Amino acid sequence: MATELKNLSSYDPSKVADGSGRKVGIVYAEWNEEITYALRDGAVKTLIKNGVSQSDITLTSVPGSFELIFGASQMVKSGKYDAVIAIGCVIRGDTPHFDYICEGVTAGLSRLNVEYDTPVIFGLITTNNLQQAQERSGGRLGNKGDECAVTALQMIAQFKHI
Ligand code: DLZ
């Protein structure tokens, strides 16, 4: 479903798993910080709203979205977290750099999900311009950070017992 048809912050609270006692790592990119800080803050707020203690949320920054792979990998391998959320924002420019970063991050995070037992949530916004990113980080289409937090709690609850 295209994001245009869905508000990223709208979810049914009765269907969100309780986050009490859950530990969540959030790695976020400093590149496009206006966007990534809003996504990070949205994720934190939603985790806390759903029962996760502030002290059970660990925030780590990396320079750019490409480094999310290493950051998330380190968090996963530490074994300290029930889920890891990777947050970044890549805005299309004049060169193919956009495509390389998006493909690299997608492949890297996907690989972590296959090889390790901690769910890694994909919080990478990939847009054609700044306005589209603003719309998805607290603007008219909601905040993808909220969506990532809800997804993390659902993944923990559904797979913790397996
Ligand atoms: C180099 C670069 C460019 C051009 N654009 C972005 C971007 O839109 N979003 C982002 O998160 N990072 C960008 N970067 C930085 C790369 O992710 C990475 O930090 C550098 O290539 C160094 O590895």
Side-chain angles (χ1 to χ4, degrees):
M1 178 191 286
T3 307
E4 287 287 339
L5 303 175
K6 186 182 189 303
N7 186 302
L8 295 162
S9 298
S10 62
Y11 59 92
D12 180 350
S14 69
K15 290 190 179 152
V16 181
D18 178 27
S20 306
R22 304 307 197 191
K23 296 191 185 332
V24 180
I26 299 178
V27 55
Y28 62 97
E30 295 284 352
W31 197 285
N32 293 321
E33 65 177 33
E34 172 203 337
I35 305 298
T36 60
Y37 289 10
L39 297 172
R40 175 202 63 193
D41 295 346
V44 169
K45 199 177 89 194
T46 301
L47 288 172
I48 291 172
K49 196 169 149 192
N50 287 285
V52 181
S53 300
Q54 178 106 48
S55 59
D56 284 334
I57 301 172
T58 301
L59 304 176
T60 306
S61 67
V62 291
S65 290
F66 191 74
E67 286 72 42
L68 290 173
I69 306 164
F70 184 82
S73 173
Q74 292 298 298
M75 284 188 139
V76 165
K77 289 174 187 169
S78 76
K80 292 180 185 166
Y81 308 104
D82 296 305
V84 171
I85 298 172
I87 287 173
C89 170
V90 192
I91 299 176
R92 191 182 286 280
D94 295 332
T95 70
H97 207 91
F98 173 90
D99 300 298
Y100 289 113
I101 295 178
C102 294
E103 283 170 23
V105 176
T106 304
L109 298 182
S110 301
R111 192 170 153 195
L112 291 176
N113 273 307
V114 173
E115 293 187 359
Y116 295 91
D117 294 332
T118 303
V120 176
I121 311 304
F122 189 76
L124 184 71
I125 284 189
T126 60
T127 61
N128 290 325
N129 53 53
L130 180 62
Q131 187 194 333
Q132 289 176 339
Q134 288 167 334
E135 288 171 349
R136 290 158 177 78
S137 56
R140 80 180 171 93
L141 297 172
N143 188 325
K144 190 167 178 66
D146 296 339
E147 184 194 58
C148 288
V150 170
T151 304
L153 294 178
Q154 296 299 88
M155 289 297 285
I156 295 167
Q158 278 166 233
F159 292 94
K160 196 72 184 164
H161 62 285
I162 292 179

